[in-house]
Amino acid sequence: QVQLVETGGGLVQAGGELRLSCATSGRTFSSYTMGWFRQAPGQEREFVAAISWSGTTTYYANSVKGRFTLSRDDAKNTVYLQMNSLKPEDTAVYYCAAGSRSVYGLTLGANYWGQGTQVTVSS
């Protein structure tokens, strides 16, 4: 069993930045593909970014490419989503996810989910 706890959400003005963290429990963190999804009010959950178990491969949704950066620290069992140049349309609940598939496979769904953290970008 893997538990995921997100932190770092909040309110920021358009153009600002936030860094989300996802701390995980369990000794198998380094074997999982990790990623983030988000869900805006009235919309379906959508894929944001993923990073391979080795940290060598990342994959981003087109809507965030060039603005968001995903990284992982296996020593701390934590992944980080650095979000720059935030836009009002980035407003959503952001969920950390862990899965056994590739970064591309994670876009289809995850084995484990966090509870989510709210990100609000004001215009």
Side-chain angles (χ1 to χ4, degrees):
Q1 186 75 10
V2 176
Q3 292 185 328
L4 311 176
V5 179
E6 304 100 331
T7 56
L11 173 64
V12 64
Q13 289 188 332
E17 60 184 58
L18 282 174
R19 189 176 80 156
L20 305 183
S21 299
C22 174
T24 71
S25 64
R27 293 172 291 180
T28 58
F29 169 78
S30 61
S31 66
Y32 283 101
T33 295
M34 301 295 299
W36 290 86
F37 288 70
R38 66 187 182 186
Q39 187 168 19
Q43 297 187 21
E44 294 187 354
R45 189 175 298 188
E46 65 174 4
F47 169 79
V48 175
I51 187 167
S52 63
W53 65 270
S54 65
T56 57
T57 303
T58 53
Y59 183 56
Y60 298 92
N62 287 334
S63 58
V64 307
K65 196 175 298 182
R67 300 187 298 122
F68 290 12
T69 302
L70 183 57
S71 62
R72 65 189 297 160
D73 185 337
D74 287 353
K76 296 182 178 180
N77 285 3
T78 301
V79 292
Y80 304 97
L81 183 66
Q82 178 66 42
M83 306 186 295
N84 298 332
S85 303
L86 283 162
K87 305 174 181 180
E89 50 264 44
D90 293 318
T91 296
V93 177
Y94 282 71
Y95 296 91
C96 183
S100 56
R101 299 173 176 171
S102 69
V103 293
Y104 311 107
L106 192 69
T107 65
L108 302 177
N111 300 94
Y112 303 101
W113 297 92
Q115 293 299 306
T117 185
Q118 177 70 47
V119 171
T120 303
V121 184
S122 63
S123 57

